[in-house]
PDB file of all heavy atoms in Angstrom:
ATOM      1  N   ALA A 144     -11.092 -15.193 -16.655  1.00  0.00           N
ATOM      2  CA  ALA A 144     -10.333 -14.016 -16.318  1.00  0.00           C
ATOM      3  C   ALA A 144     -11.208 -12.746 -16.137  1.00  0.00           C
ATOM      4  O   ALA A 144     -10.917 -11.933 -15.215  1.00  0.00           O
ATOM      5  CB  ALA A 144      -9.323 -13.666 -17.437  1.00  0.00           C
ATOM      6  N   ARG A 145     -12.263 -12.568 -16.912  1.00  0.00           N
ATOM      7  CA  ARG A 145     -13.119 -11.411 -16.766  1.00  0.00           C
ATOM      8  C   ARG A 145     -13.866 -11.515 -15.451  1.00  0.00           C
ATOM      9  O   ARG A 145     -14.115 -10.491 -14.799  1.00  0.00           O
ATOM     10  CB  ARG A 145     -14.180 -11.382 -17.955  1.00  0.00           C
ATOM     11  CG  ARG A 145     -13.458 -10.868 -19.269  1.00  0.00           C
ATOM     12  CD  ARG A 145     -14.416 -10.951 -20.429  1.00  0.00           C
ATOM     13  NE  ARG A 145     -15.514 -10.127 -20.143  1.00  0.00           N
ATOM     14  CZ  ARG A 145     -16.677 -10.313 -20.769  1.00  0.00           C
ATOM     15  NH1 ARG A 145     -16.841 -11.382 -21.597  1.00  0.00           N
ATOM     16  NH2 ARG A 145     -17.664  -9.496 -20.538  1.00  0.00           N
ATOM     17  N   ILE A 146     -14.358 -12.681 -15.039  1.00  0.00           N
ATOM     18  CA  ILE A 146     -14.979 -12.920 -13.797  1.00  0.00           C
ATOM     19  C   ILE A 146     -14.077 -12.521 -12.658  1.00  0.00           C
ATOM     20  O   ILE A 146     -14.483 -11.731 -11.782  1.00  0.00           O
ATOM     21  CB  ILE A 146     -15.548 -14.306 -13.625  1.00  0.00           C
ATOM     22  CG1 ILE A 146     -16.690 -14.605 -14.630  1.00  0.00           C
ATOM     23  CG2 ILE A 146     -16.009 -14.601 -12.214  1.00  0.00           C
ATOM     24  CD1 ILE A 146     -17.142 -16.020 -14.624  1.00  0.00           C
ATOM     25  N   ARG A 147     -12.842 -12.996 -12.730  1.00  0.00           N
ATOM     26  CA  ARG A 147     -11.897 -12.650 -11.607  1.00  0.00           C
ATOM     27  C   ARG A 147     -11.591 -11.172 -11.589  1.00  0.00           C
ATOM     28  O   ARG A 147     -11.540 -10.580 -10.465  1.00  0.00           O
ATOM     29  CB  ARG A 147     -10.599 -13.493 -11.800  1.00  0.00           C
ATOM     30  CG  ARG A 147     -10.798 -14.978 -11.495  1.00  0.00           C
ATOM     31  CD  ARG A 147      -9.483 -15.630 -11.307  1.00  0.00           C
ATOM     32  NE  ARG A 147      -8.480 -15.388 -12.300  1.00  0.00           N
ATOM     33  CZ  ARG A 147      -8.363 -15.988 -13.458  1.00  0.00           C
ATOM     34  NH1 ARG A 147      -9.199 -17.054 -13.718  1.00  0.00           N
ATOM     35  NH2 ARG A 147      -7.374 -15.664 -14.304  1.00  0.00           N
ATOM     36  N   THR A 148     -11.394 -10.617 -12.716  1.00  0.00           N
ATOM     37  CA  THR A 148     -11.171  -9.122 -12.809  1.00  0.00           C
ATOM     38  C   THR A 148     -12.285  -8.330 -12.226  1.00  0.00           C
ATOM     39  O   THR A 148     -12.068  -7.412 -11.484  1.00  0.00           O
ATOM     40  CB  THR A 148     -10.834  -8.752 -14.293  1.00  0.00           C
ATOM     41  OG1 THR A 148      -9.753  -9.490 -14.759  1.00  0.00           O
ATOM     42  CG2 THR A 148     -10.493  -7.286 -14.298  1.00  0.00           C
ATOM     43  N   GLY A 149     -13.505  -8.675 -12.575  1.00  0.00           N
ATOM     44  CA  GLY A 149     -14.604  -8.024 -12.020  1.00  0.00           C
ATOM     45  C   GLY A 149     -14.756  -8.072 -10.470  1.00  0.00           C
ATOM     46  O   GLY A 149     -14.999  -7.174  -9.807  1.00  0.00           O
ATOM     47  N   LEU A 150     -14.474  -9.338 -10.034  1.00  0.00           N
ATOM     48  CA  LEU A 150     -14.517  -9.518  -8.562  1.00  0.00           C
ATOM     49  C   LEU A 150     -13.392  -8.791  -7.830  1.00  0.00           C
ATOM     50  O   LEU A 150     -13.649  -8.152  -6.764  1.00  0.00           O
ATOM     51  CB  LEU A 150     -14.449 -11.001  -8.237  1.00  0.00           C
ATOM     52  CG  LEU A 150     -15.678 -11.844  -8.565  1.00  0.00           C
ATOM     53  CD1 LEU A 150     -15.419 -13.278  -8.325  1.00  0.00           C
ATOM     54  CD2 LEU A 150     -16.890 -11.363  -7.716  1.00  0.00           C
ATOM     55  N   LEU A 151     -12.217  -8.740  -8.450  1.00  0.00           N
ATOM     56  CA  LEU A 151     -11.107  -8.030  -7.897  1.00  0.00           C
ATOM     57  C   LEU A 151     -11.384  -6.498  -7.865  1.00  0.00           C
ATOM     58  O   LEU A 151     -11.114  -5.846  -6.921  1.00  0.00           O
ATOM     59  CB  LEU A 151      -9.820  -8.351  -8.678  1.00  0.00           C
ATOM     60  CG  LEU A 151      -8.580  -7.680  -8.073  1.00  0.00           C
ATOM     61  CD1 LEU A 151      -8.287  -8.139  -6.641  1.00  0.00           C
ATOM     62  CD2 LEU A 151      -7.360  -8.033  -8.949  1.00  0.00           C
ATOM     63  N   ASN A 152     -12.007  -5.976  -8.920  1.00  0.00           N
ATOM     64  CA  ASN A 152     -12.399  -4.586  -9.009  1.00  0.00           C
ATOM     65  C   ASN A 152     -13.379  -4.281  -7.875  1.00  0.00           C
ATOM     66  O   ASN A 152     -13.284  -3.259  -7.234  1.00  0.00           O
ATOM     67  CB  ASN A 152     -12.898  -4.201 -10.327  1.00  0.00           C
ATOM     68  CG  ASN A 152     -11.827  -4.074 -11.425  1.00  0.00           C
ATOM     69  OD1 ASN A 152     -10.642  -3.855 -11.088  1.00  0.00           O
ATOM     70  ND2 ASN A 152     -12.260  -4.192 -12.764  1.00  0.00           N
ATOM     71  N   ASP A 153     -14.375  -5.174  -7.693  1.00  0.00           N
ATOM     72  CA  ASP A 153     -15.389  -4.951  -6.652  1.00  0.00           C
ATOM     73  C   ASP A 153     -14.566  -4.927  -5.237  1.00  0.00           C
ATOM     74  O   ASP A 153     -14.950  -4.111  -4.442  1.00  0.00           O
ATOM     75  CB  ASP A 153     -16.354  -6.021  -6.624  1.00  0.00           C
ATOM     76  CG  ASP A 153     -17.351  -5.949  -7.801  1.00  0.00           C
ATOM     77  OD1 ASP A 153     -17.355  -4.852  -8.443  1.00  0.00           O
ATOM     78  OD2 ASP A 153     -18.054  -6.909  -8.101  1.00  0.00           O
ATOM     79  N   GLN A 154     -13.721  -5.855  -5.110  1.00  0.00           N
ATOM     80  CA  GLN A 154     -12.993  -5.941  -3.797  1.00  0.00           C
ATOM     81  C   GLN A 154     -12.096  -4.665  -3.550  1.00  0.00           C
ATOM     82  O   GLN A 154     -12.113  -4.144  -2.503  1.00  0.00           O
ATOM     83  CB  GLN A 154     -12.065  -7.176  -3.812  1.00  0.00           C
ATOM     84  CG  GLN A 154     -11.365  -7.369  -2.502  1.00  0.00           C
ATOM     85  CD  GLN A 154     -10.520  -8.683  -2.464  1.00  0.00           C
ATOM     86  OE1 GLN A 154     -10.285  -9.235  -3.490  1.00  0.00           O
ATOM     87  NE2 GLN A 154     -10.055  -9.130  -1.332  1.00  0.00           N
ATOM     88  N   VAL A 155     -11.393  -4.204  -4.663  1.00  0.00           N
ATOM     89  CA  VAL A 155     -10.634  -2.951  -4.468  1.00  0.00           C
ATOM     90  C   VAL A 155     -11.519  -1.768  -4.189  1.00  0.00           C
ATOM     91  O   VAL A 155     -11.195  -1.001  -3.355  1.00  0.00           O
ATOM     92  CB  VAL A 155      -9.763  -2.750  -5.786  1.00  0.00           C
ATOM     93  CG1 VAL A 155      -9.169  -1.333  -5.737  1.00  0.00           C
ATOM     94  CG2 VAL A 155      -8.738  -3.832  -5.842  1.00  0.00           C
ATOM     95  N   HIS A 156     -12.679  -1.700  -4.867  1.00  0.00           N
ATOM     96  CA  HIS A 156     -13.539  -0.646  -4.576  1.00  0.00           C
ATOM     97  C   HIS A 156     -14.125  -0.674  -3.150  1.00  0.00           C
ATOM     98  O   HIS A 156     -14.152   0.351  -2.402  1.00  0.00           O
ATOM     99  CB  HIS A 156     -14.757  -0.681  -5.553  1.00  0.00           C
ATOM    100  CG  HIS A 156     -15.832   0.432  -5.354  1.00  0.00           C
ATOM    101  ND1 HIS A 156     -15.533   1.769  -5.549  1.00  0.00           N
ATOM    102  CD2 HIS A 156     -17.062   0.278  -4.798  1.00  0.00           C
ATOM    103  CE1 HIS A 156     -16.683   2.387  -5.223  1.00  0.00           C
ATOM    104  NE2 HIS A 156     -17.646   1.488  -4.720  1.00  0.00           N
ATOM    105  N   HIS A 157     -14.465  -1.865  -2.745  1.00  0.00           N
ATOM    106  CA  HIS A 157     -14.997  -2.062  -1.341  1.00  0.00           C
ATOM    107  C   HIS A 157     -13.920  -1.690  -0.375  1.00  0.00           C
ATOM    108  O   HIS A 157     -14.155  -1.029   0.617  1.00  0.00           O
ATOM    109  CB  HIS A 157     -15.452  -3.512  -1.166  1.00  0.00           C
ATOM    110  CG  HIS A 157     -15.952  -3.820   0.203  1.00  0.00           C
ATOM    111  ND1 HIS A 157     -17.196  -3.420   0.598  1.00  0.00           N
ATOM    112  CD2 HIS A 157     -15.418  -4.492   1.139  1.00  0.00           C
ATOM    113  CE1 HIS A 157     -17.482  -3.844   1.843  1.00  0.00           C
ATOM    114  NE2 HIS A 157     -16.329  -4.553   2.224  1.00  0.00           N
ATOM    115  N   THR A 158     -12.682  -2.094  -0.588  1.00  0.00           N
ATOM    116  CA  THR A 158     -11.557  -1.757   0.254  1.00  0.00           C
ATOM    117  C   THR A 158     -11.304  -0.251   0.326  1.00  0.00           C
ATOM    118  O   THR A 158     -10.971   0.304   1.339  1.00  0.00           O
ATOM    119  CB  THR A 158     -10.251  -2.508  -0.176  1.00  0.00           C
ATOM    120  OG1 THR A 158     -10.573  -3.952  -0.175  1.00  0.00           O
ATOM    121  CG2 THR A 158      -9.106  -2.245   0.785  1.00  0.00           C
ATOM    122  N   ALA A 159     -11.379   0.378  -0.898  1.00  0.00           N
ATOM    123  CA  ALA A 159     -11.191   1.748  -0.889  1.00  0.00           C
ATOM    124  C   ALA A 159     -12.206   2.531  -0.085  1.00  0.00           C
ATOM    125  O   ALA A 159     -11.869   3.521   0.583  1.00  0.00           O
ATOM    126  CB  ALA A 159     -11.199   2.290  -2.257  1.00  0.00           C
ATOM    127  N   SER A 160     -13.469   2.080  -0.184  1.00  0.00           N
ATOM    128  CA  SER A 160     -14.525   2.673   0.618  1.00  0.00           C
ATOM    129  C   SER A 160     -14.265   2.499   2.123  1.00  0.00           C
ATOM    130  O   SER A 160     -14.371   3.491   2.913  1.00  0.00           O
ATOM    131  CB  SER A 160     -15.827   2.064   0.299  1.00  0.00           C
ATOM    132  OG  SER A 160     -16.133   2.309  -1.039  1.00  0.00           O
ATOM    133  N   GLY A 161     -13.738   1.356   2.513  1.00  0.00           N
ATOM    134  CA  GLY A 161     -13.390   1.116   3.912  1.00  0.00           C
ATOM    135  C   GLY A 161     -12.250   1.924   4.321  1.00  0.00           C
ATOM    136  O   GLY A 161     -12.280   2.466   5.435  1.00  0.00           O
ATOM    137  N   ILE A 162     -11.274   2.062   3.513  1.00  0.00           N
ATOM    138  CA  ILE A 162     -10.051   2.872   3.862  1.00  0.00           C
ATOM    139  C   ILE A 162     -10.457   4.326   4.010  1.00  0.00           C
ATOM    140  O   ILE A 162     -10.001   5.081   4.974  1.00  0.00           O
ATOM    141  CB  ILE A 162      -8.908   2.665   2.910  1.00  0.00           C
ATOM    142  CG1 ILE A 162      -8.393   1.249   2.989  1.00  0.00           C
ATOM    143  CG2 ILE A 162      -7.885   3.713   2.997  1.00  0.00           C
ATOM    144  CD1 ILE A 162      -7.397   0.891   1.860  1.00  0.00           C
ATOM    145  N   ALA A 163     -11.291   4.817   3.083  1.00  0.00           N
ATOM    146  CA  ALA A 163     -11.699   6.185   3.164  1.00  0.00           C
ATOM    147  C   ALA A 163     -12.539   6.451   4.420  1.00  0.00           C
ATOM    148  O   ALA A 163     -12.369   7.481   5.204  1.00  0.00           O
ATOM    149  CB  ALA A 163     -12.541   6.591   1.946  1.00  0.00           C
ATOM    150  N   ASP A 164     -13.428   5.547   4.820  1.00  0.00           N
ATOM    151  CA  ASP A 164     -14.249   5.665   6.028  1.00  0.00           C
ATOM    152  C   ASP A 164     -13.278   5.618   7.249  1.00  0.00           C
ATOM    153  O   ASP A 164     -13.473   6.408   8.165  1.00  0.00           O
ATOM    154  CB  ASP A 164     -15.213   4.527   6.025  1.00  0.00           C
ATOM    155  CG  ASP A 164     -16.035   4.536   7.306  1.00  0.00           C
ATOM    156  OD1 ASP A 164     -16.680   5.576   7.531  1.00  0.00           O
ATOM    157  OD2 ASP A 164     -16.094   3.529   8.064  1.00  0.00           O
ATOM    158  N   LEU A 165     -12.331   4.697   7.230  1.00  0.00           N
ATOM    159  CA  LEU A 165     -11.401   4.628   8.365  1.00  0.00           C
ATOM    160  C   LEU A 165     -10.592   5.984   8.515  1.00  0.00           C
ATOM    161  O   LEU A 165     -10.407   6.386   9.610  1.00  0.00           O
ATOM    162  CB  LEU A 165     -10.427   3.480   8.144  1.00  0.00           C
ATOM    163  CG  LEU A 165      -9.309   3.259   9.216  1.00  0.00           C
ATOM    164  CD1 LEU A 165      -9.904   2.925  10.514  1.00  0.00           C
ATOM    165  CD2 LEU A 165      -8.359   2.218   8.730  1.00  0.00           C
ATOM    166  N   THR A 166     -10.140   6.539   7.420  1.00  0.00           N
ATOM    167  CA  THR A 166      -9.401   7.766   7.469  1.00  0.00           C
ATOM    168  C   THR A 166     -10.162   8.916   8.025  1.00  0.00           C
ATOM    169  O   THR A 166      -9.693   9.657   8.867  1.00  0.00           O
ATOM    170  CB  THR A 166      -8.880   8.141   6.038  1.00  0.00           C
ATOM    171  OG1 THR A 166      -8.159   7.056   5.560  1.00  0.00           O
ATOM    172  CG2 THR A 166      -8.032   9.379   6.079  1.00  0.00           C
TER     173      THR A 166
END
Side-chain angles (χ1 to χ4, degrees):
R145 287 175 59 207
I146 290 171
R147 290 195 312 272
T148 300
L150 289 172
L151 184 58
N152 286 337
D153 289 348
Q154 184 178 13
V155 169
H156 176 71
H157 181 73
T158 303
S160 300
I162 290 172
D164 179 56
L165 176 65
T166 303

